[in-house]
Amino acid sequence: ILSLICAVMIWNTFKHPKKNLIVCGTGILDPLVSFISRYSKNISFKGYQSKRNVAQYLKQSDLLVLLSKREAFGLVYIEALIQGVPVAMLRDESFSKLVDQKKLGLVVKDRSYRSIKQLFLTDMPLIDQKKLIEINNVFSRDAVLKTYEDLL
């Protein structure tokens, strides 16, 4: 998260338009992220959020960045994609191949500042209506149930 915060702060110092970062969730760096957000107009720390609030933040977002060490599959990726928000994730996430192949977001190799900086220098893929319909079909209730049935 600190690399992402640094990237936003550096971008906002030298580039226009300004980027805003909303940090949701909890972790060991909460006190530091909260402190930084108090002194930055473009960074806000929201802490833990209910699913309803996360959905509201996603509707306002241009990109979901989830570089979690603990997120195994990350349903929030699907929640973002269903709302037409591209995602940024680590290359070793289980979802990264789909995102890369379908051009649904960006995949970074690690959590370093150098990798995260690429999020700002790369054009975000747009999730058009055709991709949105495909996403909804892949992750529909019936498609997910069929996948589980096939596994059994």
Side-chain angles (χ1 to χ4, degrees):
I1 188 73
L2 293 180
S3 295
L4 182 58
I5 289 171
C6 287
V8 169
M9 293 173 87
I10 290 168
W11 177 272
N12 287 344
T13 301
F14 298 105
K15 303 284 184 174
H16 295 281
K18 301 285 186 219
K19 305 285 185 187
N20 294 311
L21 176 64
I22 300 171
V23 179
C24 296
T26 59
I28 194 166
L29 297 175
D30 287 0
L32 181 58
V33 176
S34 178
F35 177 81
I36 292 168
S37 72
R38 278 187 247 142
Y39 297 97
S40 173
K41 289 186 223 172
N42 301 94
I43 298 170
S44 62
F45 176 66
K46 304 298 183 183
Y48 172 80
Q49 296 295 308
S50 69
K51 284 195 174 287
R52 181 177 298 208
N53 287 349
V54 169
Q56 291 304 314
Y57 287 122
L58 286 172
K59 287 179 184 174
Q60 304 169 37
S61 300
D62 297 318
L63 174 70
L64 168 73
V65 179
L66 182 58
L67 305 175
S68 173
K69 291 181 180 179
R70 299 180 299 160
E71 198 70 43
F73 181 73
L75 290 177
V76 72
Y77 296 133
I78 298 168
E79 293 167 354
L81 291 171
I82 286 173
Q83 293 193 44
V85 178
V87 298
M89 64 181 51
L90 293 170
R91 178 148 320 279
D92 57 358
E93 296 274 341
S94 59
F95 210 55
S96 65
K97 287 182 183 163
L98 177 69
V99 168
D100 228 4
Q101 290 168 353
K102 299 285 187 182
K103 307 289 185 246
L104 301 173
L106 300 171
V107 177
V108 296
K109 79 175 184 183
D110 57 36
R111 292 176 187 81
S112 69
Y113 171 76
R114 173 176 272 158
S115 291
I116 291 172
K117 176 175 76 171
Q118 291 306 310
L119 297 176
F120 295 90
L121 302 175
T122 307
D123 289 334
M124 273 313 118
L126 296 176
I127 298 180
D128 60 17
Q129 194 63 32
K130 183 179 173 187
K131 283 184 184 174
L132 199 54
I133 291 168
E134 185 179 339
I135 291 164
N136 279 298
N137 288 337
V138 169
F139 295 109
S140 72
R141 181 180 166 273
D142 291 338
V144 171
L145 286 174
K146 170 132 179 45
T147 301
Y148 280 119
E149 286 173 0
D150 291 347
L151 289 173
L152 299 174

